[in-house]
Amino acid sequence: MRQTKKRDVKLRVDRQAASALRRGHPWVFADGVDGKGELGEAVELLDRDGGTVGWGLWDEGGIAVRALSGEQMEIGAYYKKVLQRAELFRNRIIPSFTDTYRLVNGAGDGLPGVVVDRYGEVAVLRIYSAAHEVNVEKLVSAIAELPWVTTVFRRFGVR
């Protein structure tokens, strides 16, 4: 079986996009980035001086990059980290007798384009980004590792 070499993709963003990323904006529009990645590929985002301003997943359409928070890492590890952080946060604010709530609310939890709801032992996944669609197996695997999950249900809807 042939293994593909992981690419080290670095893309420059314009001043406006760099400023927005520094403020925590969850994406970069296509007209704000020079170059292109492959759908679902991790890309490092650089300002005009070559300094790192963020990282994210290359997407398609008007939103070129779904920015991800924190240090750059393998996407499966990132999904696990974000889901565990969301779980710890919800456990602090939601009463223990409640087992129905939104676990991941997109960009607010560091996963722009992803929503995960809890219904008892069932996690319901909704993806609004082709970038995460490419990595769906890693995302589902990370969700399945949560201690309460027995089933991951993928919800489809509007295009």
Side-chain angles (χ1 to χ4, degrees):
M1 180 176 178
R2 194 174 132 222
Q3 285 190 319
T4 57
K5 184 179 184 239
K6 182 181 174 201
R7 297 184 340 146
D8 187 22
V9 181
K10 297 180 183 217
L11 302 173
R12 291 198 188 269
V13 296
D14 64 21
R15 285 183 184 16
Q16 185 177 0
S19 177
L21 286 165
R22 286 184 181 108
R23 289 190 316 271
H25 195 71
W27 57 75
V28 177
F29 292 106
D31 62 356
V33 63
D34 290 337
K36 187 174 180 178
E38 294 178 15
L39 184 61
E41 179 176 50
V43 295
E44 183 177 358
L45 303 169
L46 309 174
D47 62 17
R48 291 293 166 195
D49 298 323
T52 300
V53 291
W55 76 287
L57 295 179
W58 185 262
D59 210 343
E60 61 185 14
I63 296 175
V65 179
R66 299 286 173 162
L68 303 176
S69 60
E71 66 183 271
Q72 186 170 351
M73 62 182 68
E74 189 276 327
I75 191 62
Y78 181 78
Y79 286 146
K80 287 179 189 180
K81 180 179 177 180
V82 168
L83 287 161
Q84 289 169 355
R85 184 177 61 221
E87 177 79 359
L88 288 171
F89 177 70
R90 283 3 179 240
N91 285 339
R92 286 197 321 257
I93 64 169
I94 296 174
S96 60
F97 58 83
T98 302
D99 67 355
T100 302
Y101 53 86
R102 177 145 294 166
L103 176 66
V104 173
N105 190 28
D109 286 304
L111 279 177
V114 175
V115 171
V116 180
D117 293 318
R118 178 181 181 178
Y119 297 97
E121 297 175 342
V122 177
V124 178
L125 170 63
R126 187 87 182 248
I127 297 176
Y128 297 91
S129 162
H132 293 294
E133 189 70 44
V134 170
N135 295 294
V136 71
E137 289 179 17
K138 293 177 182 181
L139 180 55
V140 168
S141 177
I143 294 168
E145 288 185 24
L146 295 170
W148 50 267
V149 175
T150 61
T151 303
V152 178
F153 179 79
R154 173 78 189 275
R155 182 171 175 228
F156 294 94
V158 296
R159 293 188 184 267

